[in-house]
Amino acid sequence: MQFIDLAAQQKKIRAKIEANINKVLDHGRYIMGPEIKELEEKLAAYVGVDYAVGVASGTDALLMSLMAYEIGEGDAVLTTPFTFIATGEVIRLLGATPVFVDIDPDTYNIDPVEIENALEKIRSENELTPRCIIPVDLFGQAADYDEINAIAEKHGLYVIGDAAQSFGASYKGKKAGSLTEITATSFFPAKPLGAYGDGGMVFTRSAKLYEKLSSIRVHGQGSDKYNNIRVGINGRLDSLQAAVLLAKLEIFDEEVELRQEKANRYSAALKDHLKVPFVRDYNVSAWAQYSLLHPQRDAVIAKLKEKGIPTAIYYPKPLHLQDAFSDLHGKEGDFPVSERTAAEIFSIPMHPYLTAEDQERIVQAITDGVRTL
Ligand SMILES: *Cc1c(COP(=O)(O)O)cnc(C)c1O
């Protein structure tokens, strides 16, 4: 059994993927070929914004978004400690300071009430200027953008959505990617819309930010290639990856629905045995992960392993306890909800091609495992 079965998906659309790849081989424009614009236009329309910028990874998408807002030294960027390292790493890379904010115990997303508390603390310490909030749509469910955007507006902050796990999700009828002025997503192969390598995209409603991001993507390019008006990066998406994504996009909506079906089946069978995912009634998750909580998590996953069922832990160590951020002096107890969640959470196989038999086996193993602890 596979944790994510990319081969099943490939089998279904192999001919289309090969045809799209062959087109790139024929035209030979490996860098910024026509597939890039086509994908940007299709995905911008899909999420419902005017502009999209294809980039080299989700990490670059976040980094470039912060660069577009000119975030740097002395700036505080508020984010969740219960996320992938990239969310915090890009803040540090630019010399800014991540200020962590604990999560909601039900959705695992940043807790808006705690954002207000953190802002007050930053103000009272008077060392950093709060500039930006990066909510993360963990496991595929959008963060509470109405609340977060209102706080940001009140305090004059930017909001960058980390939608690396939520492409395809929606919040109050609007698609992830359209919920803030600027949103970053990832096409890492295991994400809901995954390429065959690294890739990402930035979505924005702002023509000005679009211009800036396009320049940052190509070394801060100005009116021509050898006129550089700002410090940028090489942040381009490959034509080949865009070609793969265009093929996968054709079945994407169907896949989001299939994931929802699998999630429903899991939740119905597991909800009386351990804590299943909680999705707010106005949210539709993209189900990047299906994650469960159990106080004896390690014992449960050991039992699953015995039966050949793969699991993963997203994330075993919150960012404030990572050595990479030791200079921020985070310590145990700082973010109790994140720490408790990190100690109890585990994810089980989730992808559109899970069979009913596999799901039954997984459910049986979990319920047996939990009962015999
Ligand atoms: C995957 C991920 C990223 C980084 O994306 P890459 O494409 O791997 O660079 C950032 N944030 C979150 C929450 C992610 O899950």
Side-chain angles (χ1 to χ4, degrees), residues 81 100-103 114 121 318-321 325 328-340:
F100 297 117
V101 174
D102 213 351
I103 55 170
E114 294 294 328
K121 186 151 177 276
L319 300 199
H320 66 289
L321 301 177
F325 297 129
L328 301 174
H329 308 294
K331 55 184 189 317
E332 237 156 277
D334 285 352
F335 304 102
V337 185
S338 297
E339 290 165 27
R340 188 172 3 108

Side-chain angles (χ1 to χ4, degrees), residues 66-102:
L66 287 166
M67 289 169 81
Y69 280 141
E70 297 175 24
I71 304 291
E73 220 157 304
D75 293 339
V77 179
L78 291 84
T79 192
T80 159
F82 193 60
T83 179
F84 183 54
I85 187 74
T87 319
E89 169 186 60
V90 291
I91 301 167
R92 215 60 187 136
L93 264 177
L94 293 174
T97 301
V99 172
F100 297 117
V101 174
D102 213 351

Side-chain angles (χ1 to χ4, degrees), residues 243-313:
V244 169
L245 289 163
L246 284 166
K248 292 199 184 191
L249 186 60
E250 293 185 13
I251 54 162
F252 183 66
D253 273 335
E254 185 189 319
E255 290 192 338
V256 173
E257 270 174 43
L258 285 170
R259 284 172 192 270
Q260 182 63 54
E261 252 177 61
K262 314 296 164 191
N264 291 348
R265 196 179 292 151
Y266 271 147
S267 291
L270 292 169
K271 66 178 182 349
D272 297 331
H273 303 272
L274 64 183
K275 189 167 167 10
V276 299
F278 173 80
V279 178
R280 292 199 188 282
D281 53 11
Y282 49 71
N283 269 330
V284 178
S285 177
W287 295 106
Q289 301 297 338
Y290 187 92
S291 305
L292 298 161
L293 281 196
H294 195 280
Q296 287 165 271
R297 184 255 325 269
D298 293 343
V300 177
I301 63 180
K303 284 181 182 269
L304 294 180
K305 194 169 175 205
E306 274 170 25
K307 296 190 176 156
I309 294 166
T311 56
I313 300 177

